[in-house]
Short mmCIF file of all heavy atoms in Angstrom, two decimals:
data_model
loop_
_atom_site.label_atom_id
_atom_site.label_comp_id
_atom_site.label_asym_id
_atom_site.label_seq_id
_atom_site.Cartn_x
_atom_site.Cartn_y
_atom_site.Cartn_z
N TRP A 45 133.46 130.45 57.07
CA TRP A 45 133.97 131.71 57.71
C TRP A 45 134.17 131.30 59.23
O TRP A 45 133.48 130.58 59.75
CB TRP A 45 133.11 132.83 57.35
CG TRP A 45 131.69 132.77 58.01
CD1 TRP A 45 131.34 133.31 59.17
CD2 TRP A 45 130.58 132.10 57.48
NE1 TRP A 45 129.94 133.11 59.34
CE2 TRP A 45 129.52 132.28 58.39
CE3 TRP A 45 130.32 131.40 56.30
CZ2 TRP A 45 128.25 131.74 58.14
CZ3 TRP A 45 129.13 130.79 56.06
CH2 TRP A 45 128.04 130.97 57.03
N TRP A 92 122.58 134.19 58.66
CA TRP A 92 122.68 135.63 58.43
C TRP A 92 121.58 135.99 57.46
O TRP A 92 121.38 135.49 56.30
CB TRP A 92 124.02 135.86 57.74
CG TRP A 92 125.24 135.73 58.65
CD1 TRP A 92 125.69 134.48 59.23
CD2 TRP A 92 126.14 136.66 59.19
NE1 TRP A 92 126.70 134.71 60.07
CE2 TRP A 92 127.00 136.06 60.05
CE3 TRP A 92 126.24 138.03 58.99
CZ2 TRP A 92 128.05 136.75 60.66
CZ3 TRP A 92 127.24 138.79 59.61
CH2 TRP A 92 128.17 138.11 60.47
N ALA A 95 122.89 136.90 53.58
CA ALA A 95 123.30 135.75 52.73
C ALA A 95 122.40 134.59 52.60
O ALA A 95 122.34 134.01 51.63
CB ALA A 95 124.77 135.30 53.30
N PHE A 96 121.72 134.38 53.80
CA PHE A 96 120.99 133.04 53.80
C PHE A 96 119.44 133.23 54.10
O PHE A 96 118.70 132.21 54.14
CB PHE A 96 121.53 132.20 54.92
CG PHE A 96 123.06 132.13 54.83
CD1 PHE A 96 123.85 132.55 55.83
CD2 PHE A 96 123.68 131.61 53.63
CE1 PHE A 96 125.27 132.42 55.64
CE2 PHE A 96 124.96 131.62 53.43
CZ PHE A 96 125.84 132.07 54.57
N GLU A 121 126.24 142.69 55.87
CA GLU A 121 127.08 142.05 54.92
C GLU A 121 126.93 142.80 53.57
O GLU A 121 125.88 142.87 53.06
CB GLU A 121 126.69 140.68 54.58
CG GLU A 121 126.41 139.70 55.82
CD GLU A 121 125.46 138.58 55.50
OE1 GLU A 121 126.02 137.63 54.81
OE2 GLU A 121 124.37 138.63 55.82
N TRP A 167 128.15 131.92 49.09
CA TRP A 167 127.38 132.90 49.88
C TRP A 167 126.35 133.67 49.07
O TRP A 167 125.58 134.49 49.63
CB TRP A 167 128.45 133.94 50.46
CG TRP A 167 129.42 133.28 51.43
CD1 TRP A 167 129.33 132.00 51.96
CD2 TRP A 167 130.64 133.89 51.98
NE1 TRP A 167 130.47 131.79 52.68
CE2 TRP A 167 131.23 132.83 52.76
CE3 TRP A 167 131.26 135.11 51.79
CZ2 TRP A 167 132.47 133.07 53.34
CZ3 TRP A 167 132.45 135.32 52.46
CH2 TRP A 167 133.06 134.38 53.21
N PHE A 210 133.93 142.30 49.49
CA PHE A 210 132.78 141.92 50.45
C PHE A 210 133.38 141.68 51.78
O PHE A 210 134.38 141.15 52.02
CB PHE A 210 132.29 140.57 49.98
CG PHE A 210 131.13 140.01 50.79
CD1 PHE A 210 129.92 140.66 50.70
CD2 PHE A 210 131.31 138.97 51.63
CE1 PHE A 210 128.80 140.17 51.50
CE2 PHE A 210 130.23 138.49 52.43
CZ PHE A 210 128.99 139.07 52.39
N TRP A 212 131.76 141.83 56.32
CA TRP A 212 130.62 141.73 57.17
C TRP A 212 130.93 142.12 58.53
O TRP A 212 132.09 142.31 59.00
CB TRP A 212 130.00 140.37 57.05
CG TRP A 212 130.92 139.26 57.57
CD1 TRP A 212 131.09 138.76 58.79
CD2 TRP A 212 131.82 138.46 56.71
NE1 TRP A 212 132.02 137.78 58.78
CE2 TRP A 212 132.53 137.58 57.54
CE3 TRP A 212 132.17 138.51 55.39
CZ2 TRP A 212 133.52 136.68 57.05
CZ3 TRP A 212 133.18 137.64 54.85
CH2 TRP A 212 133.78 136.77 55.75
C1 TMO B 420 127.82 134.85 55.65
N1 TMO B 420 128.90 135.77 55.84
C2 TMO B 420 128.97 136.18 57.28
C3 TMO B 420 130.18 135.33 55.40
O1 TMO B 420 128.53 136.93 55.24
#
Side-chain angles (χ1 to χ4, degrees):
W45 65 98
W92 291 67
F96 312 119
E121 307 159 76
W167 299 349
F210 180 73
W212 59 90

